Amino acid sequence: MDLPVSLILALRQVERVAVLTGAGVSQESGLRTFRDPQVGLWAQYRPEELASPEGFARNPKLVWDWYAWRREAVKGARPNPGHYALAEMERRIAHFTLITQNVDGLHRMAGSQKVLELHGNIQRVRCSACGHPAETWENDLEGVPRCERCGGLLRPDVVWFGEALPRAELEAAVEAARTCQAFFSIGTSGIVQPAASLPFAARNNGAMVVEINLEPTPLTGKAHFFLQGKSGEILPALVRAVWPAERA
Ligand code: BV8
Ligand code: ZN
């Protein structure tokens, strides 16, 4: 795709960049996004019903199984060129903060160092009662494993709807949005708060806002650049254009 020259030139000058990613960045790694029609058993449930304390209290086995199924899918997934391009951008830009809503851990696997996981990480499991982290677990009779320390039900270490985001990560993300010169919103429908407010905070601080997404979102009208398409294709092309391989 032909990238705007003004964007390419601007990115060679900036020193402080923040990026917010969503499920769309992992779509080309084979992981379903939230707005894809979920497969099979999950078709009849809205993610908000499964990713909430109420949903877990109502049917712990259903919720535990949904996350076990997603954990297996994540185990089989590998970063795609979009993840690697973001890791390359971090190496090229003096102050680079990657804020992700994704719980799949693929950014770190691709080599990104400074990653703020606003919504936790599906590979981590903890006790829903005492918070004790669990490395391994046995499925007990009704199929939801229990904490070795207090017997409470184990749960994925992710942030559910209605739950507070981790304070340190959220504060660092807000700080990055407030101080960056350029903010990228990539592969997210921009619906879930408070993550969805970050690009607007950046816009208010005078940052250049770039959206990379398959479809328009509530942010598109406010973005300085909207690059419509697949992040796994656009990001590598952008990195190549901004930092052409050093002449041999
Ligand atoms: C909180 C972890 C308070 C779990 C997730 C009414 C109005 C406003 C807000 C609210 C409201 N009612 C409730 C709220 C608050 C609520 C909220 O925002 N609800 C929404 C539904 C309106 N937020 C919360 O509850 C948050 N907590 O507010 O707490 C509080 C404060 C103090 C003390 C106590 C409580 C917690 C929200 C976190 C929820 N957890 N994930 C899990 O993964 O199971 S959310 C989950 O869905 C993701 O993490 C992500 O954040 C979110 C949306 O997903 P996206 O990443 O955007 O993915 P999506 O599928 O939507 O879009 C993908 C996009 O990519 C699409 O646009 C697509 O076109 C594009 N795409 C696809 N393929 C590609 C692509 N783009 C490029 N390339 C491709 N290849
Ligand atoms: Zn416990």
Side-chain angles (χ1 to χ4, degrees):
M1 75 177 295
D2 53 343
L3 297 163
V5 173
S6 55
L7 171 60
I8 293 166
L9 296 178
L11 290 177
R12 288 180 184 154
Q13 308 303 324
V14 292
E15 295 184 344
R16 295 188 310 283
V17 171
V19 176
L20 173 68
T21 62
V25 164
S26 296
Q27 188 266 335
E28 291 158 88
S29 295
L31 295 180
R32 291 185 173 283
T33 67
F34 283 81
R35 271 133 196 93
D36 278 338
Q38 302 295 337
V39 287
L41 177 63
W42 316 118
Q44 72 263 39
Y45 297 95
R46 286 183 314 111
E48 288 81 12
E49 280 170 73
L50 292 168
S52 73
E54 297 75 21
F56 184 62
R58 198 168 36 247
N59 192 335
K61 175 158 173 50
L62 176 72
V63 175
W64 175 263
D65 288 349
W66 186 53
Y67 280 95
W69 175 75
R70 286 177 57 194
R71 212 171 13 253
E72 285 314 302
V74 164
K75 278 201 189 97
R78 291 293 170 271
N80 65 62
H83 292 106
Y84 289 113
L86 288 167
E88 175 65 17
M89 280 176 76
E90 180 178 25
R91 289 189 282 270
R92 299 281 191 167
I93 291 169
H95 306 282
F96 186 91
T97 304
L98 178 52
I99 305 157
T100 189
Q101 301 170 92
N102 299 339
V103 297
D104 55 36
L106 290 179
H107 285 303
R108 284 213 177 84
M109 196 187 280
S112 291
Q113 309 277 316
K114 188 175 175 190
V115 182
L116 300 173
E117 291 180 322
L118 291 187
H119 296 163
N121 188 310
I122 199 170
Q123 322 250 14
R124 289 196 307 266
V125 168
R126 65 174 164 82
C127 174
S128 60
C130 73
H132 179 63
E135 299 302 326
T136 60
W137 51 83
E138 298 294 324
N139 271 358
D140 70 10
L141 289 186
E142 74 259 22
V144 179
R146 291 187 171 273
C147 169
E148 63 190 2
R149 189 193 280 180
C150 79
L153 290 175
L154 296 185
R155 58 164 283 177
D157 191 16
V158 299
V159 179
W160 279 335
F161 288 101
E163 293 186 324
L165 275 60
R167 175 184 300 282
E169 283 78 1
L170 182 56
E171 282 173 0
V174 170
E175 175 63 14
R178 288 215 178 109
T179 56
C180 67
Q181 294 161 296
F183 191 99
F184 287 78
S185 178
I186 309 173
T188 178
S189 58
I191 293 168
V192 171
Q193 297 296 347
S197 303
L198 292 169
F200 294 90
R203 181 92 171 65
N204 292 341
N205 104 37
M208 175 179 74
V209 175
V210 184
E211 183 176 39
I212 300 173
N213 209 56
L214 268 187
E215 64 194 4
T217 71
L219 175 67
T220 308
K222 285 274 186 304
H224 297 95
F225 297 97
F226 176 48
L227 310 179
Q228 186 159 14
K230 292 186 164 188
S231 49
E233 294 167 6
I234 293 172
L235 282 167
L238 188 64
V239 167
R240 279 195 301 275
V242 177
W243 299 282
E246 262 60 66
R247 300 275 173 272

